[in-house]
Amino acid sequence: MIEDVRSGTRAFLTEAERWSAQNYRPLPVVLERGEGVWVWDVEGNRYLDMLAAYSALNQGHRHPRIVRAAIDQLDRLTVTSRAFHNDQMGPFLHELCRLAGFQKALPMNTGAEAVETALKMVRKWGHEVKGVPENQGEIIVCEGNFAGRTITIISFSSEEQYRAGFGPFTPGFRTIPYGDAGALEEAIGERTVGFLVEPIQGEGGVVVPPDGYLREVREICDRHRVALMADEIQTGLGRTGRLFCCDWENVRPDVLILGKALGGGVYPVSAVVADAEHMDVFRPGDHGSTFGGNPLAAAIGLASLKVIVEEDLPRRAAELGAWFLDRLRSVESPHVAEVRGKGLMIGVVIAESSGPARAFCEALMARGILAKETHHQVVRFAPPLTIGKDILEDALEAIAPVLRGDGVAFTT
Ligand SMILES: *Cc1c(COP(=O)(O)O)cnc(C)c1O
């Protein structure tokens, strides 16, 4: 693929490869501008962004209302630290809690920090409120989970590469199969304090659990007084066709973890949302973040939420997603093993015999579509939720031939 890349691009690739740690293997495209669902590379080529920064861009690139809020706030006050109050954090968290239907929120920056915050909260709750001996609480997680890259979070990853060489690991986690409510019931013991679950596994390969799974899990957690933590960092904020993916089954977790689109594609903003029973285990000095809840983040977070609600992005995702899923399923190809997803979070599983999904992503790029493989065999389609049906229709014209093998550099 690199051989096809023209000279302007090559200079940037060479420089980045020389100076950047090699912890990623990006597609060989160098972007310099974005607007809505579109991005442009340094050669002036336009691409449809169907990754949307892993759902950090549900509102699209540089949404005018979010950029406006950011600029206005840049002109007033940016960072204060939590040593002082600022006039933006309260209104942001108030709106977040109102939309999510919870009593309190704790603002952080990245998704991994929000997950860590939730784990700390539930461990402490388990001791102080549930009465599990101190430092002995156990948290149950699922195979195939993705919750970030900190040492504690990779401690419970089932992905060998995420862990290899990074130990020693944090204890206190127990892994069960995903989508199996019976396994949760069996795994719960006297020291279990929480269950962490993604309503749909994103990085795990867009894995959709059986219908009713979340409802069963909710019931089991209630029965054993286990805190249900929903990691909706990727599924939340409209992506799957509801404001939160748990809404599909009318399930209210005890702890809701948000990030990515909470920053509107402009800034890292994450948060943990819960009721007082869980949140109030945090007392002054227990936990914190220098940048968490800063006025710039809060202004952007509030604008990001308003765009999602006022532009009805969950409903758009539901309607367009159902239609798009259907159209993708109608593509007949020996290379496609399965098409799955919900809303505009869709995974096309490439047959093992057709080689890794990466070659399909490279062929899509050559046709002006940016998508990225996840979990080796899955091409994920998750465009900004602001996308128009006409644009998706055109995209299908480019996607269908690639799924049938056109322009794919097969390695097997
Ligand atoms: C992306 C993601 C995270 C981690 O978020 P970062 O901002 O990269 O730390 C956690 N959980 C899920 C489900 C994610 O998709």
Side-chain angles (χ1 to χ4, degrees):
M1 193 62 210
I2 301 265
E3 300 78 64
D4 302 331
V5 169
R6 282 157 292 174
S7 57
T9 296
R10 179 179 292 281
F12 286 102
L13 294 182
T14 306
E15 190 176 36
E17 273 164 21
R18 165 64 185 81
W19 294 104
S20 168
Q22 299 294 302
N23 58 325
Y24 277 92
R25 186 174 163 232
L27 288 172
V29 60
V30 181
L31 303 175
E32 64 166 18
R33 192 162 71 82
E35 190 176 321
V37 299
W38 304 106
V39 285
W40 286 262
D41 71 7
V42 291
E43 322 259 349
N45 299 307
R46 188 180 78 163
Y47 302 85
L48 178 61
D49 184 354
M50 293 201 79
L51 176 64
Y54 305 94
S55 293
L57 286 158
N58 286 1
Q59 302 91 337
H61 289 269
R62 296 191 305 117
H63 191 290
R65 283 185 62 186
I66 303 172
V67 168
R68 187 73 256 158
I71 291 171
D72 289 348
Q73 193 57 40
L74 279 169
D75 279 339
R76 283 196 299 267
L77 180 69
T78 51
V79 172
T80 53
S81 88
R82 295 290 303 276
F84 315 113
H85 285 276
N86 71 71
D87 67 351
Q88 299 296 310
M89 190 185 83
F92 166 49
L93 299 183
H94 184 172
E95 180 63 5
L96 178 58
C97 287
R98 190 186 69 76
L99 286 173
F102 284 90
Q103 293 170 346
K104 298 193 177 194
L106 194 161
M108 298 293 282
N109 313 284
T110 65
E113 289 173 301
V115 172
E116 290 265 354
T117 300
L119 298 172
K120 286 172 80 173
M121 183 189 342
V122 164
R123 279 180 165 191
K124 195 162 187 215
W125 169 85
H127 173 56
E128 289 194 350
V129 181
K130 189 176 174 179
V132 172
E134 191 169 15
N135 304 328
Q136 294 193 22
E138 190 173 72
I139 289 172
I140 299 174
V141 300
C142 293
E143 261 163 41
N145 70 74
F146 182 84
R149 301 291 202 155
T150 64
I151 286 180
T152 287
I153 291 171
I154 62 162
S155 293
F156 58 80
S157 175
S158 52
E159 194 70 21
E160 196 37 49
Q161 194 196 353
Y162 296 174
R163 294 162 49 91
F166 297 131
F169 300 109
T170 307
F173 299 96
R174 181 162 178 181
T175 307
I176 60 170
Y178 183 60
D180 180 349
L184 175 64
E185 178 98 56
E186 275 173 41
I188 290 173
E190 273 178 11
R191 291 180 178 171
T192 307
V193 294
F195 176 51
L196 175 69
V197 67
E198 296 155 82
I200 292 174
Q201 288 185 335
E203 299 320 294
V206 191
V207 181
V208 185
D211 278 344
Y213 175 62
L214 295 173
R215 255 199 320 274
E216 283 182 65
V217 152
R218 173 70 277 177
E219 190 272 319
I220 293 166
C221 287
D222 279 341
R223 206 146 27 76
H224 296 276
R225 205 176 184 199
V226 165
L228 174 58
M229 289 171 274
D231 179 350
E232 293 238 28
I233 290 169
Q234 190 162 153
T235 54
L237 302 174
R239 173 55 58 189
T240 72
R242 293 285 186 274
L243 186 55
F244 305 109
C245 192
C246 285
D247 295 346
W248 278 106
E249 297 195 3
N250 291 315
V251 161
R252 187 175 181 272
D254 297 300
V255 181
L256 177 65
I257 310 170
L258 299 173
K260 295 201 165 115
L262 195 54
V266 171
Y267 196 83
V269 184
S270 68
V272 175
V273 191
D275 282 341
E277 173 181 343
H278 294 94
M279 195 66 88
D280 284 355
V281 300
F282 285 132
R283 288 179 286 274
D286 283 359
H287 183 60
S289 161
T290 301
F291 289 98
N294 75 66
L296 182 59
I300 291 169
L302 181 59
S304 302
L305 288 172
K306 284 187 173 162
V307 167
I308 290 166
V309 172
E310 288 168 22
E311 298 190 10
D312 222 357
L313 297 187
R315 192 182 52 79
R316 292 182 60 85
E319 290 173 7
L320 288 172
W323 170 82
F324 191 52
L325 190 72
D326 218 49
R327 293 293 305 272
L328 284 171
R329 282 185 174 147
S330 71
V331 175
E332 282 183 29
S333 165
H335 307 302
V336 176
E338 190 190 354
V339 181
R340 61 197 183 203
K342 215 168 212 174
L344 280 169
M345 182 168 179
I346 295 174
V348 175
V349 185
I350 302 299
E352 297 274 349
S353 54
S354 300
R358 168 94 182 187
F360 289 79
C361 292
E362 287 172 352
L364 285 168
M365 186 185 115
R367 288 175 181 253
I369 307 262
L370 292 184
K372 191 74 170 65
E373 77 278 8
T374 173
H375 224 251
H376 321 293
Q377 290 312 121
V378 183
V379 182
R380 171 172 33 200
F381 292 111
L385 310 182
T386 52
I387 196 167
K389 192 171 182 183
D390 50 334
I391 295 173
L392 265 184
E393 196 119 37
D394 290 347
L396 268 164
E397 301 282 306
I399 292 168
V402 169
L403 294 182
R404 288 193 290 262
D406 256 32
V408 178
F410 290 101
T411 50
T412 52

